[in-house]
């Protein structure tokens, strides 16, 4: 079963997509790699979407995101490993692409890690915004650099 719902945030509306296992995607309008029109019914009172919306409301008020949300992003095994590594980066901290590559036991694969980070289908909840360039600079973010900077500031990180 696939279902979708729109969620409003201070940084713009998001489209959420779920299956029976969990949240498959969460995209800002106009985001790079947005899947476009989804072939899934819109639902109103879905418990998972209500939980996600409540978590995001709390997040934008300064609360830490829970780590136990049912997420089911679809990707290659390598992409999924990168997305799992992103979940381990605490709020207020960051990692470089090279650090993530080394953490995954693949030193020298920073570009491949960067490509996987860029394809993260669950924005904010899988915190790809916490990945910076090797020199600490803001680098690409599918939702736009302004949003990346806003998310980092919200978490207390000063890029």
């Amino acid at each position: 079963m696939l279902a979708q719902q729109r969620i409003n945030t201070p940084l713009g509306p998001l489209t959420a997509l779920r299956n029976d296992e969990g949240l498959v995607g969460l995209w800002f309008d106009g985001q790079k790699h947005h899947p476009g029109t989804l072939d899934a019914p819109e639902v109103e009172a879905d418990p998972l979407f209500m939980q996600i919306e409540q978590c995001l409301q709390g997040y934008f008020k300064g609360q830490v995101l829970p780590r136990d949300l049912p997420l089911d992003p679809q990707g290659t095994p390598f992409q999924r490993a990168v997305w799992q590594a992103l979940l381990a980066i605490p709020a207020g901290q960051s990692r470089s692409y090279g650090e993530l590559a080394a953490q995954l036991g693949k030193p020298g694969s920073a570009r491949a890690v960067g490509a996987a980070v860029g394809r993260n289908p669950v924005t904010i909840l899988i915190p790809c915004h916490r990945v910076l360039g090797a020199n600490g600079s803001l680098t690409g973010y599918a939702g736009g650099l302004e949003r990346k900077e806003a998310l980092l500031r919200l978490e207390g990180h000063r890029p």
Side-chain angles (χ1 to χ4, degrees), residues 10 137 149:
S137 64
E149 186 171 9

Side-chain angles (χ1 to χ4, degrees), residues 70-129:
L71 304 176
D72 192 32
Q74 306 297 301
T76 67
F78 179 74
Q79 288 173 326
R80 292 174 80 119
V82 170
W83 301 335
Q84 194 64 41
L86 295 175
L87 289 167
I89 305 171
Q93 294 185 24
S94 63
R95 301 287 184 275
S96 71
Y97 298 99
E99 288 172 328
L100 281 176
Q103 177 184 330
L104 292 166
K106 302 206 181 272
S109 65
R111 285 182 186 226
V113 167
V117 169
R119 288 286 185 169
N120 170 24
V122 183
T123 195
I124 302 174
L125 301 179
I126 298 178
C128 56
H129 59 275

Side-chain angles (χ1 to χ4, degrees), residues 18-127:
R18 71 158 298 160
N19 64 17
D20 289 334
E21 303 301 316
L23 190 68
V24 174
L26 188 65
W27 302 275
F28 284 108
D29 289 356
Q31 175 175 322
K32 204 174 191 185
H33 309 298
H34 189 293
T37 303
L38 299 172
D39 186 21
E42 289 191 38
V43 295
E44 289 297 320
D46 181 87
L48 177 57
F49 290 146
M50 291 167 52
Q51 180 185 15
I52 298 299
E53 187 168 16
Q54 184 178 42
C55 289
L56 288 170
Q57 286 174 356
Y59 173 76
F60 282 105
K61 292 178 182 172
Q63 296 174 10
V64 175
L65 289 169
R67 293 180 169 255
D68 61 349
L69 294 171
L71 304 176
D72 192 32
Q74 306 297 301
T76 67
F78 179 74
Q79 288 173 326
R80 292 174 80 119
V82 170
W83 301 335
Q84 194 64 41
L86 295 175
L87 289 167
I89 305 171
Q93 294 185 24
S94 63
R95 301 287 184 275
S96 71
Y97 298 99
E99 288 172 328
L100 281 176
Q103 177 184 330
L104 292 166
K106 302 206 181 272
S109 65
R111 285 182 186 226
V113 167
V117 169
R119 288 286 185 169
N120 170 24
V122 183
T123 195
I124 302 174
L125 301 179
I126 298 178

